[in-house]
Amino acid sequence: MTGALADLLLDTVDGGASVGFLAPLDHAAAVAWWTERCAAVAAGRLTVWTASEEPGRVLGTVSLALPADKANSAHRAELVKLMVHRSARGKGLGRRRLLAVAEEAAAAEGITLLHLDTETGSPAEHLYRTSGWTEVGAIPDYAADPAGVLRPTTIYYKRPAPPGLREGNAP
């Protein structure tokens, strides 16, 4: 699975998305990064979902990072590394499958606040805004994009709907 996730990460970085890596990113480094995530998953600090349409090929992923080391933050989680392969973009995979499952799972686990950051002006901003996320503000020169250019990031939050109160399930 880490090899398929590494392929997705490479495609995401090659496509110019600012997900924490500089280009060129090699396959071994991408595999190593995903392999390092395994300990956080095993410890319950990170949950990772994938979307695939054929065996061995991951078209998308999203993760929730849980702040397990802080007693006063057990109610919140950070949405991280939402990635969709360039060949699968624009088909609802990010919104209807990945973002929705992460938000629903968070609510089911009692998470009442989600937050994230994304490159200001990126296509991801449109996804979050139109999915009910609220913009908090932007931080200039927050992170380098894959080409190494410093870019601002925008912070968002969302209060996930409790189970039973989601769209189509109103009392």
Side-chain angles (χ1 to χ4, degrees), residues 13 15 40 69 76-77 79 94 97 100 114 144 156 159-160 166 170:
V13 172
D69 62 336
R76 71 174 189 245
L79 187 94
R97 286 177 61 188
L114 294 171
Y156 288 86
R159 296 184 184 279
R166 290 191 193 91

Side-chain angles (χ1 to χ4, degrees), residues 13-139:
V13 172
D14 288 347
S18 181
V19 290
F21 299 89
L22 298 175
L25 178 64
D26 70 17
H27 193 265
V31 168
W33 185 83
W34 277 110
T35 300
E36 290 169 5
R37 309 281 75 74
C38 292
V41 170
R45 294 187 316 271
L46 183 70
T47 304
V48 179
W49 292 271
T50 62
S52 302
E53 292 188 357
E54 56 189 70
R57 183 165 183 245
V58 175
L59 294 177
T61 187
V62 66
S63 299
L64 282 179
L66 306 166
D69 62 336
K70 298 176 185 167
N72 71 341
S73 59
H75 67 288
R76 71 174 189 245
E78 181 179 9
L79 187 94
V80 294
K81 302 294 187 262
L82 174 60
M83 295 182 264
V84 175
H85 194 279
R86 286 179 285 176
S87 68
R89 291 186 188 155
K91 300 173 185 172
L93 179 70
R95 179 186 320 275
R96 289 193 300 267
R97 286 177 61 188
L98 296 169
L99 195 53
V101 75
E103 291 175 7
E104 290 172 10
E109 291 296 319
I111 300 296
T112 59
L113 181 66
L114 294 171
H115 63 97
L116 64 85
D117 69 88
T118 192
E119 182 181 331
T120 304
S122 70
E125 273 203 296
H126 175 75
L127 170 69
Y128 299 126
R129 284 184 181 144
T130 59
S131 297
W133 288 74
T134 301
E135 180 180 334
V136 174
I139 303 171

Side-chain angles (χ1 to χ4, degrees), residues 136-153:
V136 174
I139 303 171
D141 298 336
Y142 185 78
D145 66 14
V149 177
L150 291 178
R151 301 282 186 193
T153 195

